[in-house]
Amino acid sequence: MEFDARLLRPAGGFGRRARLLAAASWAPNAALALGFFAGLLLAAPPAHRCRPDPALLPPALRNLSGPALLNASVPRGPAGWSRCLLYRYAPGAAGPNRTGPCTRGWVYELPAAGLRSSLVTQWDLVCSDRWKVPLEQTTYLLGWLSGCIALGLACDRCGRRATFVFSLVLAVPLGIGVALALNYMMLLSLRLLLGAALAGTFLSLYVARLELCDPPHRLMVVMVAGFFWVAGELLLPGLAVLCRQWRLLQGAVTLTLALLATCWGCPSLFPESPRWLLATRQLEKGRKGLRALAEGNGVSLEDEFYSQEHLLAELESDGAPLPRYHTLCEVFSTRVIWKNSLILGFTAFIGSGIRHCFTRNLAPYLPQFYFSYFLLAALEAAACLFLCVTVNRFGRRPILLLCTILTGIASLLLLALTQYLLNWIILTLSVLGIASSQAVAMLSIFFASEVLPTVVRGAGLGLIMAASFVGKAAGPIMDIQNNRGFFLHHVVFASFAILSVLSIMLLPESKGKGLPESLQDGESQRRPPLFRSSRRRDQLPLLSPRSAGHAPEAQDYARLVTATKKMLRSHRPTPPRDRQLLLEPAPGGDPQEET
């Protein structure tokens, strides 16, 4: 079924109604970005030191106060006061003879990331408990991963709009629960569920937005949504400064989600995708959605266009139309669709996972939280802008190949030559690697959404996004282990980046093409040559491809066969007598003519 050419274009294509719906789908990205990045500010570690404990001091020093008590209790080094140790005094000793852990808690230097209280200060997640901060971040990403898989399946079974509304309505009470969490374990479980709900919202919105567009406008609509995501990321620190408390910040983010559910729950702002309805053979609902789109675009079509017979002809279906849904298991039984999904999931995983190798190099040069935060947001916007300028001009596959090569080269140079390079070269390579890896992850997801068929687009794209979140979780997992094994982590991802260069060449090109609707459409995609051939193709009738204007006719083909046989027979030597008898024509036949 060619939905774009035969149904969407007569209904007005990317007309007024389609443009309004696309623009309405951008604003939720900013609210979802607030929810995704809020965890970075909620768990931002402030500078801290041990609170002095006079009970550990000798009797002669227990009446000290102020700086004198601090000097007698807390060790001090070149980097400042010790964060996790206090002096210990032996009985009768005039000075300390060893150190030990803090006994009365910590003193925090606030605000941190604009907040006067955070998860760290709430439950003292420092020193021996500092691993709980990256564990919380890993759990949250695990929630996004599981939400992409589970709610991606729901997108293909229940519809884009139903999944969007369900996920958004579920996210509101979960966000309130996070703001009111009483202990760390309660926070951990609620953040896991909140991540899953936000993942379903993001995925269903992404798929519905893409299916609304015709081929020339798909990239720009998706990339503008990416700019709104960056805008939400940039607004979050300002919101944190206004709220000052982590519970208020979480409440403010949840309030934006509640407003989103109230407004975008309306069918006029987020209707069900007509493309998905028709691809799954829900003709009555698909007819209504297509009519509403055409009328909103200012196009008036005859009733015959919406008739069941016309839609069945476009669907290439015979008999009574019954809804037909496809499962993820059917993707595993395909060859081309599964190959494309595997390659793009691999590149999305690499683009997200290798970023930690570059951001770790920024730590010595960007000690301030806000500076590194805004730098990463700016690089994400630069990656969006680069894709907007290049992808429609040069194609999806060449730009994905270029960004992957840049990522691999930057990673290999940092891996092999860090100790020999100047600081500004290390910083430049790290910035280049972050921008190119961000472009790889974004383009892999967008590319996958174009080559996956409509009937399994939600589940397939959910798997690829899940692979991306597995890569994102590599950073917090390394922090749990205090970055032990970082060199091996860097070697593995650099090797994967080089390996993915070869696999990208096996992908098809989706530039300017309609979205595949059925599994058969997805299986018919073929890999184009990487470079255009300068040789002209053979135009003989037997060798030229069959096209609309130059299809060889049966009579011309028969004449060519007959002429070829006569020519070969005229140049053939006279056969022996015993074979000649076999070649004599039947009685009444023409010895000069063969059929």
Side-chain angles (χ1 to χ4, degrees), residues 399-422:
I399 299 303
L400 182 59
L401 188 63
L402 172 65
C403 294
T404 308
I405 291 174
L406 291 177
T407 302
I409 291 175
S411 179
L412 289 175
L413 290 176
L414 289 173
L415 184 65
L417 303 175
T418 297
Q419 56 184 341
Y420 306 108
L421 297 177
L422 299 176

Side-chain angles (χ1 to χ4, degrees), residues 260-334:
L260 191 63
T262 303
C263 298
W264 271 259
C266 177
S268 59
L269 280 179
F270 193 93
E272 185 55 83
S273 169
R275 186 189 299 267
W276 174 78
L277 291 172
L278 293 176
T280 53
R281 306 182 190 280
Q282 302 180 60
L283 294 190
E284 187 60 34
K285 295 180 180 178
R287 181 191 299 119
K288 293 179 180 179
L290 199 60
R291 185 187 293 273
L293 182 64
E295 292 175 354
N297 287 335
V299 176
S300 178
L301 298 173
E302 298 179 357
D303 291 338
E304 183 181 354
F305 180 81
Y306 304 106
S307 65
Q308 178 173 320
E309 292 75 13
H310 177 257
L311 294 179
L312 280 175
E314 298 299 337
L315 291 171
E316 301 176 356
S317 173
D318 298 328
L322 297 175
R324 184 182 178 188
Y325 305 101
H326 296 263
T327 62
L328 192 60
C329 297
E330 296 181 56
V331 176
F332 298 145
S333 63
T334 61

Side-chain angles (χ1 to χ4, degrees), residues 66-82:
L69 177 62
L70 195 60
N71 288 326
S73 301
V74 184
R76 186 167 187 173
W81 300 105
S82 175

Side-chain angles (χ1 to χ4, degrees), residues 5 36 71 78 169 206 216 230-231 274-275 279 364 395 427 459 525 533-534 548 559:
F36 182 78
N71 288 326
V169 170
Y206 193 103
V230 175
R275 186 189 299 267
L427 190 61
Q525 299 175 104
S533 175
S534 59
R559 291 195 199 101

Side-chain angles (χ1 to χ4, degrees), residues 531-585:
F531 303 103
R532 294 181 179 177
S533 175
S534 59
R535 294 185 303 172
R536 297 184 61 184
R537 302 184 64 179
D538 196 343
Q539 296 299 319
L540 288 176
L542 287 176
L543 302 179
S544 62
R546 186 179 297 271
S547 60
H550 299 86
E553 297 181 358
Q555 295 179 357
D556 295 336
Y557 182 82
R559 291 195 199 101
L560 180 62
V561 171
T562 303
T564 304
K565 286 183 177 182
K566 289 182 178 180
M567 181 181 65
L568 293 175
R569 186 174 53 190
S570 64
H571 289 83
R572 188 169 51 190
T574 304
R577 179 64 182 171
D578 54 347
R579 295 178 58 189
Q580 184 69 26
L581 295 175
L582 298 175
L583 297 176
E584 289 181 0

Side-chain angles (χ1 to χ4, degrees), residues 144 255 272 456:
W144 277 76
L255 179 61
E272 185 55 83
V456 292

